[in-house]
């Protein structure tokens, strides 16, 4: 019965598109999650997505046909600035993120309010904040864009995996032995920004942090080396996104919050499992 | 030209000056020990030499074609977060990052080197353990093994003996002396003046008074005699 229903849904290309895009975004966002959690930047997802929200409002007001042209560069620049300020301690990382994040959110909402063309303003805002059904209305072009960007993110991550580990673990040592730590931090910031912009479609800007940090935190409960944690969080994230989308289709729940709910459940399971195995080891 | 020349260097944080007008040079094959009281600026000096901090004034010149990726470094403290998942092997291997440059993965030679250095520091048995679950001395040995992996021409050590038991300390000094005989330049910060006097060729003393010269000159100098006497007094 359930499988028949699923099989019927799979007939529709938009369901297949949603699954492809959802899984890819989940994969990308989990990869750098470990690094962000460890650098104490768990909330950068939030901050950046609010910036992206602000940029989107501006794009909407300006009636840009391709809003990505504005949103992506603005988000990348903010990411660079945020990771910069995190390093010198004048404004602490979390405070800087909070400042930018709330500022952009207020600014975006203000702009939407003043210049709004659409009559359903709160509906629009809600969609941008909590993720829309837009993942179910993807065009093939958007799917391809997503595939290309995800492939680029995964490629960059794999190619620079060892450097990212080294710079995350001990930045001073990396600099001392001649690694271009600032360059790699910049690279991390850019990749994060691309992921955030991608993921906004899936879960909306309020829930992105969940997609970035939950798989990493869950994996850190179970494993003790960087490689195993990274692999585990990628697998977890993909599985959670996949089942979340399926559940939301079957039960008719909102896609974004369902995925996050599954992530939370997975964290609870990993927490319990970590307690048991940790207890056995001692 | 010397491997490293320091001219009129002043160290400090913001506008607060810690040490002024340091002048010294380090030649290839030297074994320089930096001594001084707590807070005299030894760690700050080493970080400045490594370009992790900007000097307040003065110059640091690298000679003899010494490149940054040929230097090994043992920091005094590594602010590793409490929940960082990293195995000992991953950390030691990351010492090879300067060797592989832009190549994305470590090659067989580098992996062999890291295994060798883990064996040298006696940590092979916990290669797969998580770093933060080790004792302080064990962690220090991991970081030493990492520094050894990075060393090709010079090795900078900030209190390498801290936290090590006497046996491992002696082995470590022997190992470093061996590297020095192979032609690797060593710069070491230590409070262990006995070891400093025993192994080094040059001594830099920073603090209220600054001294830089060979070991024998130091032992003859007033500042050296005073410092040695204080140390002995403390040990009795
Ligand atoms: N991040 C910092 N900001 C401001 N001042 C600092 C900072 N780090 C160290 N200092 C100050 O600089 C001085 C020198 O510190 P440094 O760590 O170089 O001493 P040290 O010689 O290595 O001492 P120890 O023997 O305890 O390792 C100290 O007075 C310290 O208070
Ligand atoms: Mg020190």
């Amino acid at each position: 019965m359930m499988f028949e229903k699923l099989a019927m849904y799979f007939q529709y290309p938009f369901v297949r598109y949603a699954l492809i895009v959802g899984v890819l975004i989940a994969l990308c966002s989990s990869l750098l999650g470990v690094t962000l959690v460890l650098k104490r930047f768990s909330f950068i997802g939030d901050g950046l997505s609010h910036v992206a929200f602000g940029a989107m409002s501006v794009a909407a007001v300006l009636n840009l046909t391709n809003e990505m042209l504005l949103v992506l560069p603005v988000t990348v620049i903010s990411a660079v600035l945020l990771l910069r300020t995190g390093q010198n301690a004048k404004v602490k990382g979390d405070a800087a993120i909070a400042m930018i994040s709330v500022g952009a959110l207020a600014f975006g909402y203000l702009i939407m309010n003043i210049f709004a063309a659409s009559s359903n303003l709160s509906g629009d805002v809600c969609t941008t904040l909590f993720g829309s059904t837009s993942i179910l209305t993807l065009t093939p072009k958007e799917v391809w864009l997503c595939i290309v960007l995800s492939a680029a993110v995964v490629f960059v991550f794999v190619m620079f995996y060892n450097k990212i580990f080294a710079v995350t673990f001990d930045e001073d040592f990396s600099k001392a032995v001649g690694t271009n730590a600032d360059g790699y931090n910049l690279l991390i910031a850019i990749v994060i920004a691309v992921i955030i912009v991608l993921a906004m479609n899936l879960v909306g800007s309020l829930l992105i942090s969940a997609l970035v940090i939950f798989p990493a935190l869950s994996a850190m409960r179970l494993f003790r080396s960087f490689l195993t944690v990274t692999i585990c969080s990628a697998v977890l994230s993909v599985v959670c996104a996949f089942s979340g989308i399926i559940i939301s289709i079957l039960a008719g729940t909102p896609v974004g919050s369902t995925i996050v709910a599954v992530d939370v459940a997975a964290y609870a399971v990993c927490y319990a499992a970590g307690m048991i195995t940790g207890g056995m080891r001692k | 030209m010397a491997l490293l020349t320091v001219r009129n260097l002043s160290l400090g944080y913001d506008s607060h000056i810690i040490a002024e007008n340091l002048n010294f040079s380090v030649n290839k094959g030297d074994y320089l020990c930096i001594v001084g009281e707590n807070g005299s600026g030894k760690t700050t000096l080493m970080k400045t030499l490594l370009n992790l901090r900007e000097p307040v004034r003065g110059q640091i010149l690298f000679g003899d074609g010494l490149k940054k990726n040929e230097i090994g470094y043992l920091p005094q403290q590594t602010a590793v977060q409490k929940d960082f998942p990293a195995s000992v092997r991953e950390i030691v291997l990351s010492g090879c990052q300067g060797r592989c440059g832009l190549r994305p993965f470590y090659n067989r030679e580098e992996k062999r080197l890291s295994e060798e250095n883990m064996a040298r520091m006696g940590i092979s048995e916990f290669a797969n353990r998580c770093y933060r679950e080790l004792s302080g001395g064990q962690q220090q040995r991991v970081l030493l093994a990492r520094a050894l992996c990075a060393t090709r021409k010079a090795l900078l050590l900030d209190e390498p003996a801290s936290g090590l038991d006497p046996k491992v300390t002696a082995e470590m000094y022997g190992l470093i002396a061996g590297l020095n005989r192979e032609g690797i330049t060593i710069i070491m910060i230590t409070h262990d003046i006995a070891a400093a006097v025993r192994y080094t060729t040059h001594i830099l003393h920073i603090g209220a008074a600054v001294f830089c010269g060979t070991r024998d000159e130091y032992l003859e100098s007033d500042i050296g005699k005073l410092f040695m006497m204080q140390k002995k007094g403390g040990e009795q």
Side-chain angles (χ1 to χ4, degrees):
Chain A
M1 167 52 202
M2 212 173 85
F3 285 104
E4 276 167 28
K5 200 171 166 190
L6 264 184
M8 184 201 55
Y9 275 118
F10 274 111
Q11 307 270 306
Y12 298 105
F14 73 87
V15 175
R16 292 198 300 260
Y17 291 161
L19 271 176
I20 294 174
V21 169
V23 163
L24 285 178
I25 291 175
L27 175 67
C28 293
S29 56
S30 66
L31 286 181
L32 280 168
V34 186
T35 306
L36 289 186
V37 169
L38 293 170
K39 275 183 172 279
R40 292 290 178 270
F41 271 119
S42 303
F43 272 103
I44 198 164
D46 256 21
L48 289 183
S49 59
H50 294 176
V51 170
F53 170 79
M56 263 188 181
S57 328
V58 174
V61 168
L62 293 178
N63 256 328
L64 291 184
T65 40
N66 194 346
E67 51 191 27
M68 279 300 157
L69 286 181
L70 182 70
V71 177
L72 199 56
V74 170
T75 317
V76 167
I77 292 171
S78 318
V80 172
L81 289 179
L82 278 180
L83 285 181
R84 262 286 137 75
T85 54
Q87 280 156 22
N88 63 44
K90 286 271 150 48
V91 180
K92 277 272 182 272
D94 55 345
I97 291 177
M99 261 161 54
I100 294 196
S101 138
V102 192
L105 194 60
F107 189 68
Y109 185 62
L110 201 64
I111 288 194
M112 274 186 133
N113 236 314
I114 298 176
F115 299 101
S118 119
S119 52
N120 180 16
L121 179 67
S122 52
D124 281 356
V125 174
C126 199
T127 316
T128 344
L129 289 183
F130 290 103
S132 49
T133 46
S134 71
I135 183 154
L136 297 176
T137 58
L138 292 166
T139 61
K141 211 176 104 201
E142 287 170 316
V143 176
W144 275 111
L145 178 71
C146 180
I147 291 177
V148 170
L149 283 180
S150 316
V153 167
V154 173
F155 178 78
V156 167
F157 183 81
V158 171
M159 282 296 130
F160 294 107
Y161 166 81
N162 283 313
K163 298 294 189 301
I164 291 175
F165 167 76
V167 170
T168 315
F169 180 73
D170 191 343
E171 202 172 306
D172 270 0
F173 179 81
S174 291
K175 280 186 186 160
V177 300
T179 301
N180 181 359
D182 291 333
Y184 289 108
N185 278 327
L186 190 69
L187 183 77
I188 292 174
I190 293 173
V191 173
I192 292 292
V194 172
I195 292 171
I196 298 290
V197 173
L198 272 180
M200 271 188 70
N201 275 327
L202 185 62
V203 291
S205 43
L206 276 187
L207 298 177
I208 283 181
S209 290
L211 211 58
V212 175
I213 58 177
F214 266 111
L217 288 176
S218 309
M220 279 159 67
R221 289 275 141 210
L222 295 180
F223 291 98
R224 294 281 186 273
S225 79
F226 198 75
L227 184 65
T228 49
V229 165
T230 304
I231 293 174
C232 172
S233 82
V235 170
L236 261 181
S237 182
V238 165
V239 169
C240 289
F242 188 84
S243 35
I245 295 175
I246 299 278
I247 292 173
S248 79
I249 289 172
L250 288 178
T253 48
V255 183
S257 10
T258 313
I259 294 178
V260 174
V262 175
D263 273 322
V264 175
Y267 178 74
V269 171
C270 291
Y271 189 90
M275 296 262 273
I276 293 166
T277 53
M280 284 196 309
R281 218 184 297 152
K282 270 171 199 151
Chain B
M1 185 172 173
L3 203 62
L4 189 74
T5 312
V6 170
R7 277 198 207 138
N8 297 324
L9 185 71
S10 296
L11 306 170
Y13 289 89
D14 297 325
S15 55
H16 171 68
I17 303 278
I18 298 166
E20 265 183 309
N21 280 327
L22 296 174
N23 283 291
F24 62 92
S25 60
V26 182
N27 290 307
K28 190 171 182 306
D30 278 0
Y31 190 151
L32 173 76
C33 228
I34 305 177
V35 297
E37 289 151 21
N38 286 143
S40 54
K42 304 181 294 297
T43 300
T44 313
L45 172 64
M46 189 168 275
K47 285 189 175 166
T48 314
L49 292 181
L50 287 165
N51 204 10
L52 300 176
R53 298 194 51 82
E54 290 291 315
V56 176
R57 256 193 308 281
Q59 278 181 309
I60 298 164
L61 304 170
F62 282 86
D64 277 354
L66 180 66
K67 293 198 215 67
K68 286 210 89 179
N69 64 359
E70 295 167 330
I71 301 175
Y73 171 50
L74 174 79
Q76 182 172 20
Q77 270 164 350
T78 303
V80 180
Q81 279 129 24
K82 231 179 80 238
D83 43 4
F84 202 114
S87 69
V88 169
R89 178 175 282 119
E90 286 176 319
I91 292 170
V92 175
L93 199 53
S94 80
C96 295
Q97 59 185 288
R99 288 172 193 262
C100 71
L102 281 178
R103 174 157 40 82
F105 303 106
Y106 298 113
N107 62 23
R108 195 172 296 143
E109 173 65 16
E110 286 152 1
K111 287 184 182 147
R112 193 191 53 73
L113 183 73
S114 72
E115 296 297 325
E116 192 181 297
N117 283 324
M118 281 194 283
R120 272 171 155 180
M121 295 316 304
I123 50 173
S124 301
E125 55 187 304
F126 23 80
N128 291 318
R129 289 269 301 276
C130 177
Y131 175 77
R132 68 188 145 89
E133 288 170 358
L134 301 179
S135 78
Q138 290 169 333
Q139 291 185 346
Q140 180 78 353
R141 290 198 245 167
V142 174
L143 297 186
L144 263 167
R146 179 182 71 169
L148 292 178
C149 282
T151 306
R152 279 185 285 180
K153 285 194 180 161
L155 178 57
L156 277 72
L157 302 155
D158 197 340
E159 298 191 23
S162 79
L164 299 184
D165 63 47
K167 178 166 164 285
V168 177
T169 307
E171 280 170 12
M172 180 208 57
Y173 282 131
L175 184 72
I176 293 173
L179 288 175
N180 184 238
R181 276 194 297 277
E182 288 166 23
I184 289 174
T185 311
I186 313 276
I187 300 178
M188 176 167 82
I189 294 173
T190 187
H191 291 296
D192 187 350
I193 191 78
V197 170
R198 176 151 170 224
Y199 292 103
T200 59
T201 58
H202 293 74
I203 290 185
L204 170 66
H205 182 125
I206 59 177
V210 176
F211 174 91
C212 185
T214 63
R215 183 190 62 176
D216 298 332
E217 286 165 9
Y218 181 71
L219 291 177
E220 289 304 312
S221 70
D222 293 342
I223 173 174
K225 281 180 186 152
L226 188 69
F227 197 62
M228 293 294 288
M229 228 154 66
Q230 282 168 352
K231 286 277 167 187
K232 283 220 184 80
E235 274 156 23
Q236 273 163 12

